[in-house]
Amino acid sequence: MRDETEHGPSFADLRPMKEPTFVEPGRVTFPVYPDLPERLLDDKIHPDPDGVLPHVLATLSAYAYAGYDQGCDAGTVAMMATRLGLEDNRCRVFEQRVDALYVSSAAYLLQDRERRVAILCYRGTQPEDIISILTDADVHPETLRVDLDGVTHEVHAGFYRNMRATRYLILQALDRAVRGESVDPREEGTYGDGLEALYITGHSLGAAMAALMAVTLVHEPRYAHIARRLRAVYTFGQPMLGGPDFARACERATDSNGTRLLRDRLLRYIYDRDVVPALPPRPVGPYAPFGREFHYRRPRHGVDAAFAALADAAAEAVSLPGDLLTGTGPLPRLRRLVAVPRRAREQGWVERRDPALPYPQMDSLAGLAVVAPLAFFAARLALTRSLPFKYSFEDHGPGRYVNALAPEGVLSEFGDVR
């Protein structure tokens, strides 16, 4: 187990020989969000109307991949949190590997200097790490049974083991934060009234662990004092965790405040044709999502839009016989088929409110073994870049989410014009 803490720099540290903050006429361009702690403490609307929180949490989820030799880099994450607006933060990293069990678990816990805000950010699938890739894209996942309010449900064993591997240290650190202590165990004493707002986030495998940690906090009475501080969960490119009964149990659950947090404040973001939110595929068993879904559609025009709509319609029509054979029923598929022309005209982020229009579970292993890899390679060639594939590994990259979620006019974390 690796357990280390880094202290985030000040604004002045990141601007040597310059002013601590950078002001242009009418706006501050460094840090990205000077009022970020106040925005994180605001509990009125999720996602916030300005789009700040999705952008911040997607950016931190992307930089959670920082490191070398498959190890984490808390210094980089602490620095990026400062650039975003959390000056002098504390960043503690927890990491554990058990290769034989496909465990590659890593999480960063950020705390602002006033000790009022914490962000738990799970690292996703390392591109060069075969262990985490096997965990994320396992096409025949083992399941484990977990107890939710006296009823057992099956969940993806790989995701669950990864979350559990670091959970006890994370909960100890969060308990310290609630009491007003630093998440850095080297710092003694309390400050202020303690933790007020907790956010959990992650991309890919990290998104799955983030969602499962939220389930744990909401359902375990012993963690109620931490769950009361949980404002929202933002996930990016999240795979599904368990079956329809598990999803329904999560939707019904209420925390100690009476909030259906797993239904209303677990926000899943999907970039265009990202393949991972459609996993695990249907042949291994039924899986279902829960929470609120936000889907990004790239702008398409003319022939490109027509081909994309045709491809979506063909994919839905071809899958109808499978729905009949599996007993799923044709109605959800027919509703999605009817909605294809309307969806083809959509651009940008759209919340999917109609339960008949979820991001579908992948119908066959061909989507993972053939379609998504072909889309990845097609994107590298100008001639085939606009071909309409149903799924794509290319759309799963964390940078896709960061760029698509950046509010208009906001500079990058390095102060560059987008």
Side-chain angles (χ1 to χ4, degrees), residues 109-136:
L109 182 59
L110 287 153
Q111 182 185 45
D112 77 315
R113 64 181 176 184
E114 301 296 326
R115 302 184 185 177
R116 301 175 68 194
V117 176
I119 299 172
L120 176 59
C121 180
Y122 283 93
R123 185 186 69 187
T125 306
Q126 292 284 70
E128 79 287 355
D129 185 357
I130 189 61
I131 296 300
S132 59
I133 290 172
L134 288 171
T135 299
D136 211 5

Side-chain angles (χ1 to χ4, degrees), residues 284-298:
V284 306
Y287 277 71
F290 57 92
R292 295 167 62 190
E293 179 181 302
F294 296 83
H295 190 188
Y296 182 81
R297 299 282 287 188
R298 280 192 308 237

